[in-house]
Every structure is written in structure tokens, then in C-alpha cells.
Amino acid sequence: MAHTANKEIRSAAKTANVRLWQIAACLGISDAHFSRKLRFELPANERERIMEIIANISSQKAKVC
């Protein structure tokens, strides 16, 4: 079964070569918790925050956050 929830986040992370664990670290949560959160559609404000984190990690490959 393909993941359909939060497809935009998953696609952006993959395109930017950012790992989900890196996003989780910036959010201050475990990678397992973050993966569980992605099972269901996130609120718009949380999606925006995660997209910003993806952009930041992508532009600063030396740092995680």
C-alpha cells in the first residue's frame, strides 16, 4: 500500500535528499514518532514548518538544523 498522506512532505524530502530522521531531529522527536505522524495528514501550519526544515537542511548539508 502506497503512502498517500503527506505526499508533499515525502516528495520534497526525497527530492532534496533529506532523510526523515534529519527532519525528526530538527523537530526534537524520534524518527519513529515522526514516521507515525506522517501516516495521517498534518495540519497546514505543521506542514509549512516541516517544509521550511527540509529547505534549511538541504541548503546547509553540513548541519542538521
Side-chain angles (χ1 to χ4, degrees):
M1 173 188 261
H3 296 283
T4 56
N6 300 299
K7 197 172 202 174
E8 179 185 356
I9 291 171
R10 295 173 193 276
S11 177
K14 186 173 184 175
T15 301
N17 200 27
V18 173
R19 305 291 181 238
L20 296 181
W21 67 263
Q22 293 173 303
I23 301 167
C26 287
L27 291 171
I29 60 176
S30 71
D31 56 338
H33 184 189
F34 183 61
S35 292
R36 284 192 301 270
K37 286 177 71 104
L38 290 179
R39 292 179 188 170
F40 303 98
E41 209 55 50
L42 295 172
N45 62 339
E46 196 167 355
R47 263 195 321 267
E48 290 173 16
R49 181 175 178 215
I50 292 170
M51 294 301 279
E52 288 174 8
I53 289 171
I54 292 170
N56 288 340
I57 293 172
S58 180
S59 66
Q60 304 172 0
K61 276 299 182 184
K63 289 183 172 183
V64 173
C65 294

